[in-house]
Amino acid sequence: MNHKVSILFRAIPVLMGAVSAALGGYVLAHASGPSARVAGLVLVFLAAICLCLFSTAATIIRQLIGRFSALDRVLYPVLGFAVSGVTAGYGLSLLTMTPRPPPDFVAGHVVFGIGMICVCVSSVATASTRFVMITKNSALPEGSAPRSPAPFAPLTVRVLLALPVLAALVTWAWAFTLLAGGGGGAAPGRFTSGHVMAGLALVCTCLIGLVASILRQIQNTYTPRERVLWPGVAVALGAVGIVWGLLVLALHDRSAQLSAGFVLIGLGLICWSILSKVLLLALVWRRKAPLANRVPLIPVGTALLCLFLASFLFESADSAVVVAARVLIGLGGVCFSLFSIVSILESGTGGGDDPGEETSAAPGAGTSATGTGLATDRREAPGDRPGT
């Protein structure tokens, strides 16, 4: 990957976050009604996920172009966890505000759930600080022993796996509490918050598989069973989110339920965007995968589905449906940010290379053209290597 293309891939999540935050700010400033406040706050904080994805992208890319420093190893994970803390903290502040406006009940729960997703994505960024080891381990024969000394200490591995597991458990527990009638607030607010929190919990659960895949490939403990397990889990979770959303839409008896159903569908599509990363890691592990360079099309497709669905929903006069349309714009931006990440993974792992093509495992080595239609040079020109 050359320097210019690396800048593009790092810019995509930042730009998507800026679009989501700008739209959220515009809605908060110019739209009226309680639904506008919910949609505006959610859009603003969906940008936090994009920032955490930027941390992941920068962590991997800096290794691929041979510029990853000791400062980078700390800076990008800290950035991700700092964004996570601010997001989750703001969500809790909305819930503890006295007096608390009714829209802030829904917005507070959703923003807190977004913070839990940010924790999971930041765990991915931290695990990716040894990303180049994946290519080196993939070149070893099947059944080779784990690396000694291990790139990550056993305690570090347990902590990085525990963080997304804990985030998912907290989000699931909170979602079921709301759906069971607890947590305070009015019944419509609990219904919407509970279903959306369940969708956010699905995304957190999906990210557990991504963290586990990266860690086990770096440690050289990735098994053939995991090659099927983690992609299968991601497919199932995305399907659960979409079917759950369709059931809410089919069985609704009041308009407030519509927004929850459509947002659940969008969160299911995010699970399928995450699937692209888990699937790519499984496909290229110790095998040639000529179709691996088509995997980045998955998040492109899910992003388009979110945007097309939003465009149809904007034609509705129902304020609850318009809330879902606005949020789907932000979810589409997250999906497209994931396109950037999976394209980086495809480039860094040599996915889709021709059988006769050699792929270097050195941190600064170039790779073949990615499946995004952007050709990258094998050797960087001197003019392409300014500091970033």
Side-chain angles (χ1 to χ4, degrees):
M1 177 179 294
N2 65 36
H3 183 71
K4 293 178 181 177
V5 174
S6 76
I7 292 176
L8 172 62
F9 282 148
R10 279 176 284 184
I12 287 175
V14 175
L15 291 174
M16 292 299 101
V19 168
S20 182
L23 178 58
Y26 184 85
V27 170
L28 288 171
H30 297 284
S32 59
S35 60
R37 177 165 173 80
V38 174
L41 287 173
V42 172
L43 280 167
V44 167
F45 283 97
L46 282 174
I49 300 179
C50 295
L51 281 179
C52 292
L53 289 171
F54 161 76
S55 295
T56 305
T59 297
I60 298 174
I61 283 177
R62 296 281 290 178
Q63 292 174 72
L64 296 181
I65 63 176
R67 296 167 185 235
F68 196 61
S69 65
L71 177 62
D72 295 329
R73 194 180 303 278
V74 176
L75 175 64
Y76 293 118
V78 167
L79 172 62
F81 284 115
V83 171
S84 306
V86 170
T87 303
Y90 188 82
L92 290 175
S93 71
L94 291 176
L95 294 174
T96 57
M97 186 183 302
T98 304
R100 182 182 61 203
D104 286 4
F105 179 81
V106 176
H109 282 96
V110 177
V111 170
F112 177 80
I114 291 173
M116 294 298 97
I117 292 178
C118 290
V119 170
C120 299
V121 176
S122 299
S123 300
V124 174
T126 307
S128 299
T129 54
R130 301 287 194 281
F131 179 80
V132 291
M133 298 301 300
I134 293 179
T135 305
K136 295 178 181 179
N137 291 337
S138 184
L140 299 175
E142 194 69 48
S144 57
R147 283 199 170 265
S148 181
F152 289 114
L155 178 60
T156 303
V157 172
R158 287 195 291 270
V159 169
L160 288 176
L161 279 174
L163 285 174
V165 171
L166 182 61
L169 288 175
V170 169
T171 312
W172 277 118
W174 208 324
F176 284 125
T177 299
L178 292 167
L179 293 175
R190 289 197 303 271
F191 180 93
T192 301
S193 301
H195 282 84
V196 175
M197 285 284 279
L200 296 170
L202 287 171
V203 177
C204 290
T205 308
C206 197
L207 285 164
I208 294 172
L210 179 58
V211 174
S213 297
I214 292 174
L215 282 174
R216 294 189 186 280
Q217 291 194 4
I218 289 173
Q219 301 287 89
N220 197 28
T221 57
Y222 193 74
T223 65
R225 186 176 72 91
E226 290 178 295
R227 194 193 296 272
V228 177
L229 172 63
W230 298 124
V233 168
V235 170
L237 291 171
V240 167
I242 292 172
V243 173
W244 192 338
L246 292 174
L247 288 174
V248 170
L249 296 176
L251 301 175
H252 83 281
D253 56 6
R254 54 184 182 270
S255 62
Q257 298 176 357
L258 293 173
S259 59
F262 286 117
V263 172
L264 268 169
I265 292 173
L267 291 170
L269 292 173
I270 286 187
C271 289
W272 281 353
S273 298
I274 297 169
L275 162 68
S276 63
K277 301 173 70 174
V278 179
L279 178 63
L280 180 67
L281 289 170
L283 285 175
V284 301
W285 180 252
R286 292 179 179 162
R287 65 171 62 171
K288 293 295 182 180
L291 296 180
N293 58 9
R294 301 295 182 262
V295 174
L297 294 177
I298 295 176
V300 172
T302 55
L304 290 175
L305 284 173
C306 285
L307 297 177
F308 288 151
L309 181 57
S311 67
F312 281 106
L313 297 183
F314 273 121
E315 298 301 319
S316 173
D318 194 320
S319 60
V321 175
V322 174
V323 170
R326 288 166 172 162
V327 172
L328 281 167
I329 297 294
L331 296 180
V334 173
C335 288
F336 197 69
S337 298
L338 287 164
F339 154 76
S340 171
I341 305 297
V342 75
S343 297
I344 296 166
L345 289 179
E346 191 270 328
S347 177
T349 58
D353 287 345
D354 293 330
E357 186 177 6
E358 296 181 359
T359 304
S360 174
T367 61
S368 62
T370 68
T372 63
L374 297 170
T376 59
D377 297 331
R378 281 284 179 182
R379 184 173 300 170
E380 297 180 17
D384 289 340
R385 299 185 61 86
T388 58

